[in-house]
Amino acid sequence: MTATIDLIPALPEVIMAVVAMGLLMLGVFSKSDTTKPATIIVILTLVACVLVTWGLGGEKLSTFGGMFVLDGFAVFAKVMILVASAFTAAMSMNYLEKEKLGRFEYPVLIMFATLGMMMMVSANDFLSLYLGLELQSLSLYVLAAYHRDSARATEAGLKYFVLGALASGLLLYGASLVYGFAGTTSFDGIAKLFGGEHAVHPHLGFIVGLVFIMAGLSFKISAVPFHMWTPDVYEGAPTPVTSFFAVAPKIAAMLLFTRVMVGPFGDMADQWRQVVSFIAIMSMFVGSFAAIVQTNIKRLMAYSSIGHVGFILVGIAAGTADGVQGVLIYLAIYLFMNIGAFAVILCMRQKGRLVEGIEDLAGLSKTHPLMATVMAILMFSMAGIPPLAGFWGKFYVFKAAVDQGLFALAVIGILTSVVSAYYYLRIIKIMYFDEVVETFDRLQGGAMTLVMGVSTAVVLLFTLVPGPLLVRAKAAAAVLFAQ
């Protein structure tokens, strides 16, 4: 008797794996430069996978012996990851051409990294979690050092690889401890063992394993004190790679962290809430205060992302369906705010040379008024100023914390949000009130204009039409709490 595996729940991943391997063959055997056609194929495949994933949404499906699950939460997560990857791939095309860095490996690596992320958010077992995490990580190590002739890019890749290997070791050791004391690596098995009426009291060794898992995942989301790689990698990696790092892997890792915490360990919220609250507070403080002194805009965006991670962790610390809904809403808004900001950063060229200094934005409102308007709207939104979308992202996570009695956490979040507003407003001040030193080159590339337009529209219109996102986020969050 032959056992068969139903691959329908993993259909988007199967499509991506087949296309990625086909592109590898195309790149190896083709004598001409295939970077542009490969990138277009990758973007079309990602868009197709969005439609397939959306079409599979609904009831809970699982395959590979229950190690891979497709539910409402995974569908919501995958759509965000695919959209983020498609946008960043489109934004890369003009950059690769101008910098003469076109190699077919680039879009293929984005595809494999995205495949790993999709496996992560559908993981229902620590083994499948680790496989997805490592597929994503190995692709990102190479992408960080993609510009081989740049010492900064090589340094960024090396730092990310060394610290990433350490984090993977911590995660694997934690998973082995959990297996040793629980007797299973399955999320459902762990939840059944330590939840419900006949719950077993967790052993101290199990709690230690949980802490190691949280440490490994905290590195992936660049939460303090595991954030040390973020500013250097963001600054050293090619700018399109930095934009990719800031969005898709961050969203995937945050949602993986959410699934792990409220899934198998949901009934032990009292055991891990203190740790999550601590790293949330530290991330908010470091992200808010360290960014003030930055002069490089990519380093500033790195510290900004650390601060946003702190705010998102507030929703996870609540440990409720409302908290997870807040996390999903925040991440969806974060996607468009960041992708739009990096589209502007990629357009920062003077005499054909890419510039990264914050002071280089001086007088942008006079030379490129539309670009300055887009950047100003996105900066106001990141600062959490109403009625822009960024305000609502923070509102929902802080509300979930207050409902759970985590008043101190919410108050600290609001105070650090006020501090972080300084460096966002500083960028606006430089664009609108400083004198022009050297003007930027004329904006080129339809992809950049499209990304900036879509991002600005989402940030402006969310307050007027919040319903679709709120309803879908609520339904996706409820899946993790369904018995």
Side-chain angles (χ1 to χ4, degrees), residues 336-392:
F336 290 101
M337 292 191 301
N338 269 264
I339 210 77
F342 273 100
V344 174
I345 293 168
L346 274 164
C347 293
M348 290 171 60
R349 285 184 178 275
Q350 293 174 348
K351 296 176 182 175
R353 181 177 56 89
L354 207 63
V355 292
E356 299 173 0
I358 295 171
E359 299 299 330
D360 292 316
L361 289 163
L364 187 66
S365 62
K366 300 178 183 69
T367 58
H368 295 75
L370 283 177
M371 198 190 300
T373 303
V374 168
M375 194 64 163
I377 290 168
L378 295 172
M379 291 298 105
F380 276 128
S381 183
M382 284 189 183
I385 294 172
L388 300 174
F391 166 78
W392 295 107

Side-chain angles (χ1 to χ4, degrees), residues 194-205:
F194 296 104
E197 296 178 11
H198 307 291
V200 176
H201 185 73
H203 189 278
L204 178 61

